[in-house]
Amino acid sequence: MMTSSSNYELQTCDIFCKVIDNYGDIGVCWRLARQLAGEHGLQVRLWVDDLGSFAKLCPEIDVAQESQRCRGVEVCLWGKLFPEVQPAGLVIEAFACKLPQSYIEAMASQQRSVWINLEYLSAEDWVHGCHRLPSPHPNLPLTKYFFFPGFTKQTGGLLLERSLLARRDEFRNNAAQQQAFWRSIGMKMPGAETLKISLFGYENAALHGLFDTWANGAQAVLCLVPEGRILPQVEQYFEDVGRDSSRRSQSAGMNPDLRNYSCGNLQVRVLPFVEQDRYDELLWACDVNFVRGEDSCVRAQWAAKPFIWQIYPQHDTVHWGKLQAFLNLYSAPLSSRTSEAVQALWKAWNKGNGAGQAASTGSGQAWPAFAAVRGELECHAQHWARQLAENNLVLNLLDFSREIGRMRAIKIEGQQT
Ligand code: TRH
C-alpha cells in the first residue's frame, strides 16, 4: 500500500469474522474475501474463529490447520492468542466483531490501515444516515468507518460477484446444466407442471399449515429442504401424517442424506448442506425460494424468483421492524393485490419463527393468494435484481477505502511539510 496521496493503492486486506451462530457471518465474509482476492487482486487474509462452520460452506477447509490457502485467500484461525502481524492496508471488521487489542495498537502506530466496520444488512431508513460515518477511537489516533450494505443508492449495496448474473442466466438457458444439477441431488429433472420450491429455514411453527396446503393442493409440489434447523419439524409433520393415515411414505434412496417424504400432492426431499456456490444453483433451479438470515436472502434476490424471507429472530423483536422496512421497499412497485399477498405470506411465515411454538395455519391460508400472483412477482423479481446490481458492495467499499486512504495520506504529507 502506498502512502503518497497521488498514487494511493490498496494491496492487502485483513477480514475479521466471529461466527455468532449459523452460517451468515462466515458466509458473507467468505464471499467478500474471495471477491476482493479473485476480482480485485488484493492479498486477503481471512481471520475466522470457527473453522468447523466455515468447512460446511467450503469443504476444502482443513479444520486442523491454523493457516491455509484456499481459493486465493489466506485463511487463518483467529484463536485466543493473536499473533504479531503487520496490519493490512484495508482492515474489515465484520459485524462489529471487536479486533484483537494488539492489532488495533499496531494499526495506530503504523497509520497505514483503513479500518472498516462492515455492518449487518438492513432496509431501515436510519442506515442512510449512518453509512460511511466515522467513529474515532476513544484514546488512539485511529478512526473506524461504518459501512452498511443495503438496497438503496444511499447504502453500500450488496455483494455481487462479477459473473454471477451471467452464470445464472446460462444455467437457466442450459438444459444440460439443469439436468446435471437434478442428477447431483439424485433426481430426474421435474416437469414444468411441478412447482419446485426450496425451503431453507429456522424452526418454524407455520410449516405444518403450509405443508397441509401443498399436500392438498391441485398442483404437484416438490419441496427441497437443505438440512438444518427446520428439519425436525419436517420430520414431525410426516410422523403426524403417518399416525393419521397410511399416506406417509419415506425412502432412504441411494444416499442416506437424501431423505424423501410424500403426502398427497407434496413431495419433500431433504438435501445435504452443499458448498456455497452450489446453493445458488438450488435457488436458480426452483420456482419459489424460502430463505433465512441475511446471505441466503440476498442470494434469493439475485436468483430473481419469488421468495419468502424468514428473518433472523432477535429477542427484542426488532426484527419485525427490519422485515417491514424491507417489505415496504420490495413491494412498493407491486399492484396492491400482489403486495398484500406477499405481505400476508411473509408475515404468517415469520409469526411461526422460533422453537416450541404451537403449529399455526396462517402460512397455509396465505399461500393460494401468493401462488396466484406468481407471474407478477417473477417480473418484479427480475427488475428488482437488475436494479440492485447497479450498487455493488465491493466496488463501493474499495472506492470508499481508497478515498479515506488518500485523505489520510494528504493529511500526513501536510504534517511532514
Ligand atoms: O445461517 P444463517 O441463519 O445466518 C444468520 C444470518 O446471517 C443473520 O443475519 C446473522 O445475524 C446470524 O446468522 C448470526 O443464514 P444466512 O445468512 O442465509 O447464511 C447461510 C449461508 O449458508 C449462506 O452463505 C448460504 C450458505 N449455504 C450453503 O453454503 N449451502 C447450503 O446448502 C445452504 C442451505 C446454505
Side-chain angles (χ1 to χ4, degrees):
M1 185 201 59
M2 311 298 292
T3 45
S4 160
S5 58
S6 53
N7 59 355
Y8 185 85
E9 254 183 68
L10 286 172
Q11 290 167 353
T12 56
C13 173
D14 276 326
I15 301 176
F16 287 86
C17 174
K18 277 205 172 125
V19 175
I20 306 295
D21 62 1
N22 305 317
Y23 305 107
D25 308 287
I26 185 61
V28 168
C29 291
W30 180 225
R31 279 189 203 295
L32 176 62
R34 281 191 291 162
Q35 229 184 304
L36 287 170
E39 297 181 11
H40 299 277
L42 269 72
Q43 289 169 43
V44 180
R45 262 186 315 209
L46 172 57
W47 298 91
V48 54
D49 68 344
D50 176 357
L51 292 176
S53 297
F54 191 2
K56 289 280 277 181
L57 277 79
C58 178
E60 289 158 54
I61 290 294
D62 180 348
V63 294
Q65 297 291 326
E66 295 216 340
S67 166
Q68 59 200 294
R69 280 202 78 75
C70 184
R71 316 261 187 110
V73 173
E74 186 181 346
V75 175
C76 304
L77 178 66
W78 180 2
K80 283 212 170 67
L81 282 178
F82 196 78
E84 225 175 84
V85 293
Q86 170 81 21
L90 173 59
V91 177
I92 300 173
E93 170 181 331
F95 316 121
C97 67
K98 212 162 180 283
L99 302 191
Q101 186 59 23
S102 60
Y103 191 93
I104 295 178
E105 282 163 14
M107 281 201 291
S109 74
Q110 297 186 7
Q111 293 295 316
R112 284 195 300 226
S113 304
V114 174
W115 182 8
I116 301 283
N117 175 25
L118 177 65
E119 275 292 344
Y120 282 112
L121 176 64
S122 173
E124 291 160 299
D125 285 344
W126 61 262
V127 165
H128 297 159
C130 297
H131 177 50
R132 297 161 58 118
L133 271 190
S135 163
H137 193 279
N139 42 44
L140 289 171
L142 267 184
T143 302
K144 170 160 81 175
Y145 293 86
F146 290 101
F147 198 91
F148 279 84
F151 306 94
T152 61
K153 283 275 152 76
Q154 299 102 302
T155 70
L158 299 174
L159 281 172
L160 170 63
E161 297 83 356
R162 211 177 260 160
S163 65
L164 184 80
L165 302 185
R167 284 191 283 121
R168 176 200 65 190
D169 293 343
E170 205 198 324
F171 181 91
R172 292 247 163 90
N173 296 322
N174 185 324
Q177 277 190 26
Q178 292 171 34
Q179 279 155 2
F181 166 78
W182 289 102
R183 260 199 315 278
S184 76
I185 61 166
M187 298 189 84
K188 268 205 194 128
M189 189 162 140
E193 69 291 349
T194 298
L195 188 66
K196 299 170 285 300
I197 298 176
S198 80
L199 196 149
F200 180 44
Y202 307 114
E203 300 80 3
N204 198 323
L207 181 74
H208 284 229
L210 196 59
F211 273 8
D212 272 345
T213 298
W214 290 344
N216 298 318
Q219 186 173 17
V221 171
L222 170 63
C223 177
L224 301 172
V225 184
E227 63 172 1
R229 288 169 52 179
I230 203 167
L231 208 51
Q233 274 162 322
V234 171
E235 286 163 352
Q236 185 65 51
Y237 177 83
F238 286 97
E239 265 174 37
D240 293 350
V241 163
R243 262 197 298 276
D244 267 7
S245 66
S246 58
R247 288 182 301 162
R248 179 188 180 207
S249 85
Q250 179 181 354
S251 66
M254 291 184 306
N255 177 339
D257 287 337
L258 301 177
R259 270 159 290 165
N260 246 338
Y261 302 89
S262 63
C263 174
N265 251 341
L266 168 65
Q267 186 191 351
V268 172
R269 191 165 183 94
V270 178
L271 304 182
F273 204 85
V274 292
E275 196 267 318
Q276 198 180 40
D277 290 339
R278 292 208 41 232
Y279 177 59
D280 285 317
E281 290 184 4
L282 172 64
L283 298 171
W284 301 341
C286 286
D287 304 305
V288 176
N289 294 304
F290 284 71
V291 287
R292 73 180 205 192
E294 176 167 323
D295 192 51
S296 56
C297 177
V298 171
R299 304 315 276 186
Q301 292 171 63
W302 296 137
K305 286 290 173 94
F307 74 103
I308 297 95
W309 183 27
Q310 185 176 8
I311 193 168
Y312 184 72
Q314 288 166 275
H315 294 302
D316 43 13
T317 67
V318 289
H319 58 283
W320 279 104
K322 287 175 88 171
L323 185 77
Q324 190 60 56
F326 181 78
L327 274 171
N328 291 347
L329 261 188
Y330 188 72
S331 50
L334 296 172
S335 67
S336 56
R337 175 178 173 231
T338 304
S339 169
E340 278 162 26
V342 170
Q343 305 234 7
L345 181 59
W346 281 42
K347 287 178 188 169
W349 187 239
N350 279 281
K351 273 197 191 128
N353 224 341
Q357 292 204 49
S360 63
T361 54
S363 292
Q365 284 160 1
W367 174 259
F370 182 89
V373 296
R374 259 183 55 221
E376 184 183 336
L377 278 176
E378 277 191 19
C379 294
H380 174 55
Q382 285 164 26
H383 178 74
W384 178 256
R386 275 197 296 275
Q387 190 182 307
L388 292 181
E390 288 164 17
N391 202 19
N392 186 305
L393 189 140
V394 164
L395 297 180
N396 293 335
L397 181 71
L398 287 174
D399 282 351
F400 178 61
S401 305
R402 288 190 186 109
E403 189 185 315
I404 299 295
R406 261 194 301 272
M407 277 169 8
R408 202 209 16 235
I410 289 170
K411 199 169 146 200
I412 292 171
E413 278 172 9
Q415 284 163 354
Q416 285 165 352
T417 52

